Amino acid sequence: MNRTRVAFFDVDGTLTTSGSMFRLLAFYLAAMGHPPRVYEERRRELKAMAAIGCPREATNRAYFSGLQGVDAAVLAGVADAWFAAELSTGGYYHEPALAALRRHQERGDHVVLVSGSFPAPLRPIAADLGVEEVWCTEPEIVHGRHTGDLKGPPMIGAAKAEAVRTVLARRGAAPDDCVAYGDHVFDLPMFKAVGSAVVVGGDERLRTSARAHGWPLLPGTLPPPALPLPRTGPGAAARTRPAFHSSHSSFAPTSPTRYEMPETA
């Protein structure tokens, strides 16, 4: 009998060489005509929170609070243009992890992206990779605009493990037949929810854990190429959009209005 195998991939720093949230923010602010100092000030605020020991979930929420009032459709259009700009650099994907993802797809494994980022930047990535299920942080959007709040917990740490367990239960997959890829210590709960893990780069704590568990190691990412920023407003055409899951949403693959398939600051 064929066994269901699932491969779970973190995105930022694992499949890609850069973080989608900060890079999209820089691109969006430039597209809206803001000078570079606006982005730098926002980035410094978030980095300062991390430097004084704020939990990663808190910095993630702070990032989304900065989106209050942003038109979600405009941001989605900018995200498509941002992704095209990332691809134009020729160094967006992390080739060792991308090759692993392609191997899983070629042998018929179900591939799932699990990311602390959010649908706007993840949709074009998932569509480009041919991935049909993504679990991520879901911002609250009311009347077409971001409220600055989230609809559930950020897709970080324990939330990633819960997403993995949900996917395994719905697909009838045994954890021992499945694998997870990630680059950060916050991916450990996801790793422990499956039978095997692959550490991509990672800090010494994560690599120590990998050695203790016998997990394979892949090289870390190279510094990302400079991102070409727009000089005019957004006008990108919408791409085909996969369905998304947030950490709390129900699984309803036929509904186009939910994040059904399914790093954060």
Side-chain angles (χ1 to χ4, degrees), residues 36-256:
R37 63 176 173 79
V38 175
Y39 166 73
E40 291 300 334
E41 288 170 1
R42 183 63 180 147
R43 184 175 181 274
R44 275 197 300 271
E45 292 171 2
L46 295 169
K47 292 293 186 182
M49 290 181 65
I52 63 173
C54 289
R56 202 174 189 193
E57 291 84 354
T59 59
N60 185 281
R61 287 184 178 277
Y63 174 95
F64 290 105
S65 71
L67 297 182
Q68 183 177 5
V70 168
D71 186 301
V74 171
L75 183 57
V78 172
D80 286 340
W82 158 79
F83 180 64
E86 292 281 20
L87 289 184
S88 75
T89 67
Y92 184 58
Y93 288 124
H94 183 43
E95 291 300 329
L98 179 61
L101 182 145
R102 294 303 187 206
R103 287 193 294 271
H104 284 290
Q105 290 176 321
E106 287 165 5
R107 72 184 192 189
D109 297 345
H110 182 62
V111 174
V112 180
L113 305 185
V114 187
S115 173
S117 190
F118 63 116
L122 291 173
R123 280 196 165 109
I125 295 171
D128 188 59
L129 294 175
V131 173
E132 295 181 347
E133 186 167 3
V134 178
W135 290 74
C136 63
T137 302
E138 186 176 2
E140 181 181 67
I141 297 171
V142 176
H143 303 308
R145 293 189 177 272
H146 286 264
T147 68
D149 292 328
L150 300 178
K151 296 180 74 172
M155 188 58 67
I156 298 171
K160 284 192 172 186
E162 184 59 30
V164 167
R165 287 190 287 267
T166 299
V167 172
L168 297 182
R170 287 171 173 169
R171 291 196 160 262
D176 286 349
D177 293 334
C178 302
V179 62
Y181 293 74
D183 72 306
H184 198 280
V185 69
F186 282 98
D187 292 320
L188 275 173
M190 177 173 70
F191 290 171
K192 294 178 179 179
V194 292
S196 181
V198 179
V199 172
V200 182
D203 62 21
E204 188 53 38
R205 290 178 300 167
L206 188 58
R207 296 179 78 84
T208 297
S209 185
R211 288 189 287 269
H213 289 87
W215 294 333
L217 301 173
L218 288 180
T221 61
L222 296 172
L227 175 65
L229 297 178
R231 296 183 180 179
T232 59
R239 290 172 177 258
T240 300
R241 296 183 177 179
F244 279 69
H245 295 292
S246 70
S247 53
H248 72 285
S249 66
S250 60
F251 186 79
T254 59
S255 165

